[in-house]
Amino acid sequence: MATKVYIVYYSMYGHVEKLAEEIKKGASSVEGVEARLWQVPETLPEEVLGKMSAPPKSDVPIITPSELAEADGFVFGFPTRFGMMAAQFKAFLDATGGLWRTQQLAGKPAGIFFSTGSQGGGQETTALTAITQLVHHGMIFVPIGYTFGAGMFEMEKVKGGSPYGAGTFAGDGSRQPTELELEQAFHQGKYIAAITKKLKGAA
């Protein structure tokens, strides 16, 4: 049986989605791992999204809470809103009460990735405040620490991400994830997939 890693995300302008795609590539590079991309449902009406100049969503399938139980491990991604996860992702997690009651996600590893508008916009707090969601489900938070190596110490270029997970800076929306940020996302996917596979094998 393949080890299933679900990359579940919310992306309004595409920055988080770009990171998610690289995380999937990284996870898929681990032998015996099946990685899948999922989006959480949008909560804003089309009219509001239009006024916010949000592009149409991609064709990545929308996940339901019950489908989380199928996975062996996760990487959750979202943009920040005032230093915390976007409300769309929080609304999705709020609907996982059934899984919480039965503790179906307990013991499963999960990582976090994120996008912020600026360097002081929550590259650490977005993940830190999201950990509470994992704790109540009994999940195991898997940070990347400094396993990305020299890339973690880049000082000449602007770079998102932190020991908590991969990240990018969206700025006014025009900035896209850099090559180094995408490499870090790939690393996170590979790293968490390997740990998920190891934990599943031990079980």
Side-chain angles (χ1 to χ4, degrees):
M1 287 284 288
T3 298
K4 291 185 179 180
V5 174
Y6 283 3
I7 298 103
V8 185
Y9 67 92
Y10 173 75
S11 189
M12 181 173 279
Y13 296 106
H15 299 82
V16 171
E17 187 163 72
K18 279 194 172 66
L19 294 178
E21 289 164 355
E22 286 302 309
I23 287 170
K24 183 193 174 189
K25 289 177 191 174
S28 297
S29 73
V30 177
E31 188 180 349
V33 169
E34 177 189 317
R36 289 192 66 181
L37 289 175
W38 296 92
Q39 297 186 79
V40 301
E42 180 58 79
T43 58
L44 294 175
E46 288 296 332
E47 181 185 0
V48 174
L49 290 169
K51 289 178 179 176
M52 296 175 75
S53 301
K57 293 283 189 282
S58 68
D59 58 2
V60 170
I62 306 293
I63 195 168
T64 60
S66 62
E67 286 171 306
L68 288 175
E70 302 166 0
D72 300 300
F74 307 91
V75 198
F76 297 129
F78 28 78
T80 189
R81 298 290 184 264
F82 303 115
M84 300 173 72
M85 70 171 67
Q88 288 88 341
F89 207 95
K90 181 62 167 64
F92 172 73
L93 290 174
D94 284 351
T96 60
L99 296 173
W100 167 76
R101 274 194 301 275
T102 52
Q103 286 292 286
Q104 288 187 70
L105 304 181
K108 294 186 178 186
I112 295 168
F113 62 106
F114 33 81
S115 172
T116 69
S118 65
Q119 293 187 63
Q123 291 282 317
E124 291 191 350
T125 62
T126 305
L128 183 61
T129 53
I131 291 171
T132 59
Q133 310 297 303
L134 308 184
V135 167
H136 284 261
H137 276 290
M139 301 173 80
I140 303 166
F141 175 51
V142 181
I144 59 171
Y146 284 82
T147 60
F148 185 48
M152 295 297 292
F153 299 94
E154 173 59 50
M155 298 295 284
E156 300 303 315
K157 302 171 188 171
V158 173
K159 181 194 134 314
S162 69
Y164 289 89
T168 188
F169 297 116
D172 61 3
S174 60
R175 183 186 186 274
Q176 295 299 313
T178 64
E179 187 177 340
L180 188 60
E181 289 170 344
L182 293 174
E183 286 173 8
Q184 184 173 240
F186 182 95
H187 169 76
Q188 182 176 20
K190 184 176 181 180
Y191 182 72
I192 291 178
I195 288 173
T196 303
K197 181 181 175 182
K198 194 182 295 182
L199 286 172
K200 186 181 181 184

